[in-house]
Amino acid sequence: MKTHPFFHLEPLPALLSTRRATGGAAAAAAAGDRAARSAMDAPVITLLFLVAVAAAAAEMPRLEHPHKGDGSLSLLAIGDWGRRGAYNQSMVAAQMGIVGEKMDIDFVISTGDNFYKNGLTGVDDKAFEESFSDIYTAKSLHKPWYTVLGNHDYRGDALAQLSPVLRKVDSRWICIKSFVVSAEIADFFFVDTTPFVLKYWTDPKNSKYDWREVSPRETYMANVLKDLEDALEQSKAPWKIVVGHHAIRSVSQHGDTKELLEHLLPILKAHGVDLYLNGHDHCLEHISSRDSKIQYLTSGAGSKAWRGVQTANADKVEFFYDGQGFMSLRLTAAEASLAFYDVAGEVLHTWTVAKPAIGY
């Protein structure tokens, strides 16, 4: 196994040009002096990045994000948002800024479908700034944004969102297809779920998906699942949280994702995952598993919502809201507390669970 040395945040764009992401020198040059906008207002957080290449499937890239001095970790989660401020995206962003300041958040998770309707056209697409940099302007949101791709992102230039060029435009942006964020008290496993959904391959209708570095599907899925299982086995963190774009359990328009029920859920159950966080359905949801400790959390209400659909589910629906909003999560080694907020910043649902002492 060939292992690259650790790097700090500043050289991270250079590493993202490895097998797990792309971006050439020509594209980097095209960014020009737009790099001046990349400075974050928050103190620079040291991130360690490790890429390990094995013979069959590479390990998931790992980012180290330290928790606060008091041992806590706070974050916001938002999905399905990129509409240049329309459909209340700007209003949701404003409330995120307020809650983010109150909680002193450490980072933001984006659950995918970052740019509508068909992702980005390339690294110079102004939609990146118009739907991200120019919308999430609050100082409290100038923290790392750990991001996965959604199905709409795959309808454009999917590799553009992975390119280090975008970090020169806005240094908050960290998008990798599948990766791990290790925050000491919690490990977050980001999984690229779009290639799992068979209909995107066999019946794309009028859409064209960017399957570069993905095809063939079966090999890609097998590698992602093996990488995830290995990473979960290695994790010693009290909390294990998996993030993907598509829901495993949902009572909204898209419902359960059968491919994830078949291939992903057994791995989550076998390795004691606590939370599964997703977007895709444009709503806010909390569903409790009836046969495991997993909590299914949907935060896909960053802009267009109000689908008017709610169907029955095999598991227990703790909360469902069809409108716009976002989610917060606060963790300590002993406790997890989450909340869902609407477009006005009103708290709609809260939930807290204690973690049994495990000698952390």
Side-chain angles (χ1 to χ4, degrees):
M1 178 182 295
K2 180 181 177 182
T3 302
H4 295 271
F6 289 97
F7 290 80
H8 292 291
L9 177 62
E10 290 78 7
L12 182 58
L15 274 187
L16 293 183
S17 62
T18 64
R19 172 184 174 276
R20 292 290 186 165
T22 64
D33 58 4
R34 290 158 59 194
R37 297 186 54 186
S38 67
M40 290 170 61
D41 294 333
V44 175
I45 300 173
T46 301
L47 297 176
L48 301 177
F49 188 86
L50 174 63
V51 179
V53 181
E59 294 177 2
M60 282 183 166
R62 180 178 295 270
L63 304 175
E64 303 288 339
H65 193 125
H67 57 62
K68 295 185 181 70
D70 65 359
S72 70
L73 185 75
S74 299
L75 61 103
L76 301 180
I78 186 76
D80 305 80
W81 42 267
R83 298 182 187 270
R84 294 180 168 87
Y87 295 97
N88 290 338
Q89 183 193 359
S90 294
M91 295 178 65
V92 173
Q95 294 302 325
M96 288 175 63
I98 294 170
V99 174
E101 182 177 3
K102 290 178 180 178
M103 295 183 65
D104 186 22
I105 62 168
D106 296 280
F107 54 84
V108 179
I109 288 176
S110 173
T111 58
D113 278 1
N114 308 311
F115 303 100
Y116 282 95
K117 183 176 182 183
N118 295 310
L120 296 179
T121 59
V123 294
D124 292 322
D125 192 338
K126 288 296 183 181
F128 179 74
E129 293 164 277
E130 294 167 355
S131 290
F132 177 59
S133 301
D134 298 344
I135 303 298
Y136 302 100
T137 57
K139 184 175 181 179
S140 65
L141 303 181
H142 278 251
K143 303 291 176 67
W145 281 57
Y146 297 120
T147 307
V148 292
L149 298 175
N151 53 297
H152 283 271
D153 300 311
Y154 265 101
R155 294 178 186 176
D157 184 346
L159 299 185
Q161 292 194 45
L162 311 178
S163 172
V165 172
L166 294 188
R167 282 191 51 79
K168 294 183 178 181
V169 180
D170 194 319
S171 62
R172 296 177 289 178
W173 187 257
I174 301 173
C175 184
I176 310 172
K177 282 188 176 178
S178 295
F179 63 108
V180 181
V181 173
S182 181
E184 299 183 59
I185 59 171
D187 281 344
F188 297 81
F189 306 85
F190 292 77
V191 179
D192 184 23
T193 61
T194 299
F196 282 70
V197 181
L198 184 60
K199 69 179 181 181
Y200 299 147
W201 297 79
T202 60
D203 188 22
K205 300 188 185 300
N206 296 323
S207 298
K208 183 178 180 180
Y209 290 83
D210 182 5
W211 297 131
R212 289 176 296 166
E213 299 190 1
V214 174
S215 184
R217 173 177 175 265
E218 292 76 13
T219 301
Y220 185 81
M221 286 173 51
N223 286 343
V224 169
L225 293 171
K226 177 63 164 60
D227 293 351
L228 174 63
E229 191 155 26
D230 289 347
L232 285 167
E233 286 179 353
Q234 295 168 14
S235 175
K236 305 300 181 185
W239 299 100
K240 296 177 178 63
I241 301 168
V242 176
V243 181
H245 176 63
H246 294 79
I248 293 178
R249 291 293 194 196
S250 174
V251 298
S252 193
Q253 183 181 37
H254 295 299
D256 299 347
T257 306
K258 62 181 182 180
E259 293 89 348
L260 300 187
L261 287 170
E262 179 182 354
H263 299 289
L264 183 61
L265 183 57
I267 294 174
L268 272 53
K269 288 181 176 179
H271 294 280
V273 169
D274 299 283
L275 309 176
Y276 179 77
L277 174 60
N278 62 271
H280 195 48
D281 266 325
H282 296 187
C283 63
L284 304 173
E285 296 180 274
H286 174 198
I287 298 174
S288 294
S289 172
R290 296 188 186 275
D291 60 3
S292 74
K293 67 177 180 179
I294 300 174
Q295 306 297 311
Y296 304 105
L297 308 171
T298 297
S299 184
S303 57
K304 190 176 183 180
W306 303 110
R307 296 297 180 90
V309 177
Q310 183 177 1
T311 57
N313 192 279
D315 285 318
K316 182 181 179 183
V317 179
E318 305 282 357
F319 165 74
F320 173 78
Y321 179 67
D322 199 28
Q324 291 104 340
F326 60 99
M327 192 194 94
S328 71
L329 178 64
R330 184 180 185 276
L331 298 167
T332 67
E335 186 177 86
S337 299
L338 64 87
F340 288 96
Y341 306 81
D342 68 10
V343 70
E346 295 295 322
V347 177
L348 302 175
H349 172 72
T350 61
W351 181 82
T352 300
V353 65
K355 171 69 69 172
I358 55 175
Y360 172 71

